[in-house]
Amino acid sequence: MLLLTFVILLIQGSLVSGWNTFVVPHTDGQDDIPGLMGAIGSYSTNSTILFQKGVNYNAFTPIKFPILNNVEIRIEGNLSYPTDIPTIQAIVGSSSFPGSWFTFSGGNNVTLRGSTDPNWGWIDGHGQAWWDTQNQVDRPHGIAFSKINNGIIRNMKLWKPIAWNFATSGSTNLHAFNNKIVAVSSNPNVSAFPFNTDGFSAGGTNMLFENNHIQNGDDCLTVGSGAKNIHFRNSYCEGGHGLSIGSLGKGGSVADVQDVLIENVIMNKTLYGARFKSWTGGNGLARNVTWSNITFSGVRFPIYVTQNYWDQNLGPPPNSTSTNNTHIQDFLFENFVGVINDSANYFEGSCVSDPCWYFVEGATGREVVIFDLHSNTATNIVAKDIFATTESGDPVAVMCDPTTVTNDVGFKCQDGVFIPTKAGLWGVDV
């Protein structure tokens, strides 16, 4: 027994002694990133890289991590982007820019950890100045947590990011939880809008996002082509463009999205609730996607599916004779409860055209579901247990072309009043 105890202690001591910690140095008024990059090669394995609490760090240049194995990045201090817009634009516009301000190149067992202290662990992007001037030239993406196997993103806090926040392209077995994004403009002028401040862009396999709080001006979640087994739950989204799949199939590309579950999410004053978007002429398949237990308040389009997506800021729909489209199969919208913002004067801050990019011809503003589908491309799409009212008290409506569906979609497929059918009633399985 004594020998066994000694062996255990020896192993534990070896593990501890084999772990390194690098405290990122700080100099007031200077860029702190060169000090990190100069040392990172010695701490890319079995290490903690610590931005320590009580220090306001200057992230004046981008960070590109090498391949990491068994590494934890701990952001317990505050980090600040440059406040000068031209400085960032010059960096982003250069050929050496890695693509994001914080870029992970790959690795195994990597944790990006913030702080539970409400005053520390913030990354300040100083996005307000960009929003005030509607400056969208050479904006940086935020955090590219890419090509990581067995990764964790937890307790991160982003304050006024310039634009796109987290991207997980090419990663597998990821758990992202207890993160907070606050991309909210303090300027009462509606033109000072936080454009393109997407929350999580999920691209990869086997990912769980939970207990995240996102206030922004674009997709709360967007699931891109190649994503499989994505689970997003128990979260809060405010002010953005919803829980989105796509866009898929742009330029005729082949899309592949499978096994996505989005559940137990509160949507507050968002443009969309659940959203799917694919381009005319696209190819491929999005399959087995469920949005469940979605509570919404002040949402314009609670459920919106379009296979006719285009960049409306660039003009009218393109002239296309293609009958191709990304196919959708086994889509379920289940237990949506809330209130539709059907104001006749509805305006969302990302509108910069007339009509606005989110304009739907023929829509009344009272639609709880819009299915804008291509014929022979949608199989088993159902909206079930939908309980919605409008702010005005007027009857809830839907938009749906019956020639584009082959199954009971859960309501009478028409442009008109929302009338649940057998497949859409609580407690009825079909």
Side-chain angles (χ1 to χ4, degrees), residues 96-235:
S96 61
F97 182 62
S100 297
W101 210 255
F102 300 86
T103 301
F104 289 77
S105 303
N108 296 280
N109 304 321
V110 178
T111 296
L112 177 60
R113 180 197 295 262
S115 171
T116 57
D117 188 318
N119 299 312
W120 292 99
W122 288 92
I123 298 178
D124 188 349
H126 302 287
Q128 188 68 56
W130 296 72
W131 310 336
D132 287 346
T133 57
Q134 300 183 50
N135 196 327
Q136 299 184 31
V137 177
D138 287 332
R139 295 172 297 167
H141 287 245
I143 299 172
F145 199 77
S146 304
K147 302 176 183 176
I148 301 295
N149 180 45
N150 298 326
I152 294 174
I153 304 172
R154 60 178 300 183
N155 303 123
M156 293 293 295
K157 300 191 293 290
L158 309 184
W159 179 259
K160 297 199 175 186
I162 297 167
W164 310 269
N165 289 289
F166 292 101
T168 63
S169 176
S171 290
T172 58
N173 303 324
L174 170 71
H175 190 192
F177 61 100
N178 295 343
N179 301 291
K180 188 170 187 177
I181 299 170
V182 183
V184 179
S185 177
S186 56
N187 188 334
N189 189 333
V190 294
S191 66
F193 188 78
F195 284 92
N196 305 120
T197 47
D198 300 66
F200 286 95
S201 297
T205 305
N206 300 332
M207 298 186 172
L208 173 60
F209 303 85
E210 60 181 340
N211 302 317
N212 296 300
H213 179 105
I214 301 166
Q215 299 168 273
N216 67 339
D218 213 301
D219 294 329
C220 184
L221 168 72
T222 181
V223 179
S225 185
K228 297 179 181 180
N229 195 19
I230 306 297
H231 192 176
F232 185 93
R233 69 185 182 190
N234 305 335
S235 294

Side-chain angles (χ1 to χ4, degrees), residues 10-345:
L10 181 63
I11 292 173
Q12 290 177 337
S14 298
L15 290 173
V16 171
S17 63
W19 194 267
N20 303 302
T21 297
F22 176 73
V23 178
V24 179
H26 167 69
T27 302
D28 288 344
Q30 301 298 313
D31 183 12
D32 296 318
I33 303 310
L36 167 61
M37 301 313 296
I40 190 66
S42 300
Y43 295 91
S44 59
T45 302
N46 299 331
S47 297
T48 294
I49 298 169
L50 175 63
F51 292 87
Q52 59 184 336
K53 182 177 179 179
V55 178
N56 291 303
Y57 288 93
N58 300 315
F60 289 166
T61 48
I63 299 172
K64 184 177 181 180
F65 293 102
I67 301 296
L68 303 176
N69 289 287
N70 304 321
V71 171
E72 180 178 56
I73 315 295
R74 294 176 59 181
I75 300 180
E76 297 183 358
N78 293 331
L79 276 65
S80 174
Y81 280 59
T83 58
D84 180 58
I85 291 176
T87 295
I88 292 181
Q89 290 175 321
I91 293 171
V92 173
S94 71
S95 59
S96 61
F97 182 62
S100 297
W101 210 255
F102 300 86
T103 301
F104 289 77
S105 303
N108 296 280
N109 304 321
V110 178
T111 296
L112 177 60
R113 180 197 295 262
S115 171
T116 57
D117 188 318
N119 299 312
W120 292 99
W122 288 92
I123 298 178
D124 188 349
H126 302 287
Q128 188 68 56
W130 296 72
W131 310 336
D132 287 346
T133 57
Q134 300 183 50
N135 196 327
Q136 299 184 31
V137 177
D138 287 332
R139 295 172 297 167
H141 287 245
I143 299 172
F145 199 77
S146 304
K147 302 176 183 176
I148 301 295
N149 180 45
N150 298 326
I152 294 174
I153 304 172
R154 60 178 300 183
N155 303 123
M156 293 293 295
K157 300 191 293 290
L158 309 184
W159 179 259
K160 297 199 175 186
I162 297 167
W164 310 269
N165 289 289
F166 292 101
T168 63
S169 176
S171 290
T172 58
N173 303 324
L174 170 71
H175 190 192
F177 61 100
N178 295 343
N179 301 291
K180 188 170 187 177
I181 299 170
V182 183
V184 179
S185 177
S186 56
N187 188 334
N189 189 333
V190 294
S191 66
F193 188 78
F195 284 92
N196 305 120
T197 47
D198 300 66
F200 286 95
S201 297
T205 305
N206 300 332
M207 298 186 172
L208 173 60
F209 303 85
E210 60 181 340
N211 302 317
N212 296 300
H213 179 105
I214 301 166
Q215 299 168 273
N216 67 339
D218 213 301
D219 294 329
C220 184
L221 168 72
T222 181
V223 179
S225 185
K228 297 179 181 180
N229 195 19
I230 306 297
H231 192 176
F232 185 93
R233 69 185 182 190
N234 305 335
S235 294
Y236 176 85
C237 302
E238 179 183 309
H241 294 167
L243 304 163
S244 300
I245 309 295
S247 62
L248 304 178
K250 184 176 182 180
S253 62
V254 179
D256 181 18
V257 172
Q258 299 183 38
D259 304 324
V260 179
L261 174 59
I262 301 169
E263 62 176 342
N264 305 329
V265 182
I266 296 172
M267 308 298 293
N268 184 30
K269 298 179 181 177
T270 57
L271 177 59
Y272 299 96
R275 184 187 186 199
F276 173 86
K277 44 185 175 175
S278 63
W279 295 70
T280 298
N283 295 279
L285 173 67
R287 182 180 65 84
N288 192 25
V289 181
T290 295
W291 293 260
S292 180
N293 300 328
I294 308 298
T295 302
F296 59 92
S297 176
V299 173
R300 186 65 166 187
F301 302 108
I303 299 172
Y304 184 86
V305 176
T306 181
Q307 294 178 299
N308 297 291
Y309 184 76
W310 79 93
D311 190 342
Q312 298 179 62
N313 286 326
L314 299 182
N319 292 322
S320 175
T321 58
S322 173
T323 59
N324 285 357
N325 208 294
T326 301
H327 285 230
I328 59 179
Q329 176 182 322
D330 301 330
F331 273 32
L332 176 61
F333 305 87
E334 180 180 42
N335 196 23
F336 278 62
V337 180
V339 181
I340 302 167
N341 182 342
D342 63 333
S343 170
N345 299 316

